[in-house]
Amino acid sequence: MSIASEIVDLCAVNEIADGEIRRGELPSGHAVAIYHVNGEFFVTDDICSHGEASLSEDGSLDGYEVECSWHFGRFDVRSGEPCAMPCEIALRTWPVKVEDGRVY
Ligand code: FES
């Protein structure tokens, strides 16, 4: 089964407060960032596309945008698209499903 079609149980919904980010890991060891925004959950790659910052550790949420504290670049967590310089390369996003209080 390819990584893209695998369903991964990332965490419980109540483990991430609204407006918070948490690091998650795929079975391959690939790190992702899980965002909770107004009751919705989004997942992108954890590593900022501008440098090596971990967005779950060094990022902060402002609505649907995550700001990387290293150089203050921003991404839209819904699409992964960069929305503030110096970030120019989109983050990979992952499909999210919330079911029975779990984030997949
Ligand atoms: Fe994230 Fe530079 S490493 S903005």
Side-chain angles (χ1 to χ4, degrees):
M1 188 177 279
S2 77
I3 191 171
S5 61
E6 209 171 326
I7 295 172
V8 179
D9 184 347
L10 287 171
C11 63
V13 163
N14 61 13
E15 287 179 66
I16 311 177
D18 198 358
E20 296 294 324
I21 313 168
R22 182 190 155 127
R23 185 181 187 277
E25 206 167 274
L26 303 183
S28 63
H30 187 85
V32 294
I34 310 159
Y35 310 90
H36 181 180
V37 184
N38 294 328
E40 292 182 276
F41 290 82
F42 303 92
V43 176
T44 71
D45 276 355
D46 186 43
I47 301 300
C48 179
S49 64
H50 176 250
E52 291 298 313
S54 160
L55 292 170
S56 61
E57 290 177 16
D58 303 312
S60 57
L61 271 171
D62 178 13
Y64 289 106
E65 294 184 4
V66 59
E67 182 175 87
C68 175
S69 66
W70 282 24
H71 311 101
F72 307 107
R74 285 177 171 237
F75 302 92
D76 187 316
V77 299
R78 298 168 292 187
S79 63
E81 289 298 320
C83 32
M85 292 296 274
C87 300
E88 296 183 289
I89 301 167
L91 296 172
R92 181 175 184 175
T93 58
W94 299 83
V96 177
K97 183 178 179 183
V98 176
E99 196 172 86
D100 297 330
R102 306 283 311 173
V103 180
Y104 298 94

